[in-house]
Amino acid sequence: MATIKPFKAVRPTRDKVALVSSKSYETYPEDELNSKLAYNPFTFLHVVNPGYKYHKQDITGEQRFKLVHNRYLEFKEDQIFTQEEKPALYVYQKITPTHSFSGIITATSTQDYHDNTIKIHERTLKKRELLFENYLKNTGFNAEPVLLTYPDDTTVNKIIQKYQQKRAEYEFTSTDKNVHLLWIVEDSEDIQVLVSAFEKISTLYIADGHHRTTSSCLLAKNLADENPNHTGKEDYNFFMSYLLSESQLSIYEFNRFIKDLNGLTPDEFLIELDTYFRIEKRGQELYKPKEKHHFSMYLKGEFYALYLRKSAYEFSDELSELDAEILYRTVLKPILGIEDIRNDSKIIYSQDKSDGLELKTKVDSGDFKVSFGMMPTTIDEIKTIVDKGLVMPPKTTYIEPKLRSALTIYEFL
């Protein structure tokens, strides 16, 4: 049973929302980030980059987190942000040049995470968990929702469609040519319909935001331990999320780029690959896999198609059938000597939403010796692995939509 809760969002005024909301600040190239900070006094990037005000970009740790809180208070004092008078849910739609996503922004329960109602598909780093937990404790708000997905539900769809027939509270186009619309669900009957609908949903899956989720849950546990009057209903027991049905997710693959061949020549490397793969040289012909267990490779100026020899590989569980895991078990670890695929500096990852030419251009630049591409993972594969209690390798999925910061803000302290 999934628990959702309406909340009194802090959000930009209608006239400033296009100027305030932003992508995650980590996604901006330095020159673009500096330009937005210099010419847009309303961007939320000023809140999360508080040192800009003092011409100091090297402020880190708890000092930075406290300044983030101060900048946030200034935005509220200047009435850039306002807060709802009563709790609400929010229908949010993002329209890109190729897709449309419609879901519900809500507060979700940290207890659901501990009870395994909210499930993960990748491991988190303890260091990042603790860092972000400290950030949350000092700032006291969520500005970017975690992306959670659930099985398509007719009742939820009807409520979403009902509000999309009305005038949106927000409707604007961002500079990346995406359209954003937000509707406020404050009718008590509609809220109860949605709450009841999610109570019938047994599992929510984290699509994007594992560290934000685990950090919120860690903070909730610590605050509960410090609070002798803890009831479980306090705002810190919830975190902001965007609930999107499974059919709407867009899932892309990550390409793998390797800096060296672990002492092998290209010909020796191909001989090693022959143990597990039938290899076809494609020359300059771009090859992108069309089936599971097929891989593309670019090596020494030429494309190759790799087809797994199933007689030479053991499918022992659901994880072993995942293409990213197959590549690790047959190539990255035994041949290229990459044990820790999360932290080894010899490998980098890049999401593939293009025509696949990145496999060629990064290797031709001389920075890498070989690159690999594969089919995207499906939502059914993700759910199967998660439901078996298994964890996917890092950088297996690149999932959209990517969400903006500060459209709605959830205060929990």
Side-chain angles (χ1 to χ4, degrees), residues 271-300:
I271 291 172
E272 292 290 332
L273 287 178
D274 193 68
T275 301
Y276 284 106
F277 298 94
R278 180 163 59 87
I279 305 171
E280 290 185 3
K281 183 189 289 189
R282 297 297 183 95
Q284 293 301 305
E285 175 194 353
L286 173 66
Y287 170 71
K288 290 197 72 173
K290 302 297 183 185
E291 297 181 27
K292 293 294 180 184
H293 312 331
H294 292 186
F295 301 84
S296 56
M297 181 178 75
Y298 187 76
L299 172 71
K300 202 176 180 182

Side-chain angles (χ1 to χ4, degrees), residues 243-290:
L243 303 178
L244 188 72
S245 62
E246 294 169 3
S247 64
Q248 294 190 67
L249 290 179
S250 293
I251 305 177
Y252 302 91
E253 70 273 26
F254 274 94
N255 293 326
R256 272 82 169 133
F257 298 86
I258 317 299
K259 292 184 179 179
D260 66 64
L261 297 180
N262 199 27
L264 300 172
T265 66
D267 288 341
E268 290 171 337
F269 178 58
L270 287 169
I271 291 172
E272 292 290 332
L273 287 178
D274 193 68
T275 301
Y276 284 106
F277 298 94
R278 180 163 59 87
I279 305 171
E280 290 185 3
K281 183 189 289 189
R282 297 297 183 95
Q284 293 301 305
E285 175 194 353
L286 173 66
Y287 170 71
K288 290 197 72 173
K290 302 297 183 185

Side-chain angles (χ1 to χ4, degrees), residues 135-345:
Y135 171 86
L136 293 173
K137 189 172 184 178
N138 278 279
T139 60
F141 63 79
N142 299 147
E144 182 181 328
V146 170
L147 178 60
L148 301 178
T149 190
Y150 62 92
D152 287 58
D153 184 273
T154 303
T155 301
V156 176
N157 289 343
K158 285 182 178 178
I159 294 292
I160 290 174
Q161 291 164 7
K162 172 183 174 180
Y163 279 83
Q164 289 178 330
Q165 302 305 311
K166 304 179 181 182
R167 182 193 179 193
E169 174 68 12
Y170 296 153
E171 182 175 5
F172 67 95
T173 302
S174 48
T175 53
D176 53 8
K177 299 182 180 179
N178 294 326
V179 178
H180 307 270
L181 302 101
L182 185 87
W183 294 264
I184 304 172
V185 182
E186 53 188 0
D187 179 85
S188 59
E189 292 185 6
D190 289 338
I191 290 174
Q192 187 54 51
V193 168
L194 288 170
V195 169
S196 298
F198 280 99
E199 285 178 346
K200 297 174 185 176
I201 293 174
S202 60
T203 306
L204 302 175
Y205 297 87
I206 302 176
D208 193 20
H210 284 77
H211 282 92
R212 281 173 284 141
T213 302
T214 53
S215 299
S216 293
C217 294
L218 177 61
L219 177 62
K221 181 180 183 304
N222 291 339
L223 292 176
D225 291 343
E226 297 169 5
N227 183 2
N229 300 314
H230 174 78
T231 65
K233 296 182 180 180
E234 295 85 358
D235 288 338
Y236 60 71
N237 294 294
F238 298 83
F239 59 96
M240 186 169 65
S241 62
Y242 179 54
L243 303 178
L244 188 72
S245 62
E246 294 169 3
S247 64
Q248 294 190 67
L249 290 179
S250 293
I251 305 177
Y252 302 91
E253 70 273 26
F254 274 94
N255 293 326
R256 272 82 169 133
F257 298 86
I258 317 299
K259 292 184 179 179
D260 66 64
L261 297 180
N262 199 27
L264 300 172
T265 66
D267 288 341
E268 290 171 337
F269 178 58
L270 287 169
I271 291 172
E272 292 290 332
L273 287 178
D274 193 68
T275 301
Y276 284 106
F277 298 94
R278 180 163 59 87
I279 305 171
E280 290 185 3
K281 183 189 289 189
R282 297 297 183 95
Q284 293 301 305
E285 175 194 353
L286 173 66
Y287 170 71
K288 290 197 72 173
K290 302 297 183 185
E291 297 181 27
K292 293 294 180 184
H293 312 331
H294 292 186
F295 301 84
S296 56
M297 181 178 75
Y298 187 76
L299 172 71
K300 202 176 180 182
E302 294 182 300
F303 282 100
Y304 293 83
L306 307 181
Y307 308 116
L308 180 69
R309 297 185 192 275
K310 295 181 181 179
S311 60
Y313 180 83
E314 181 182 356
F315 294 106
S316 55
D317 56 20
E318 288 77 9
L319 180 60
S320 69
E321 298 181 15
L322 195 68
D323 283 350
E325 184 71 10
I326 291 171
L327 191 67
Y328 171 67
R329 295 186 187 187
T330 61
V331 182
L332 301 182
K333 181 180 179 180
I335 301 176
L336 296 175
I338 300 174
E339 294 270 354
D340 185 355
I341 52 177
R342 184 184 296 274
N343 298 308
D344 196 312
S345 61

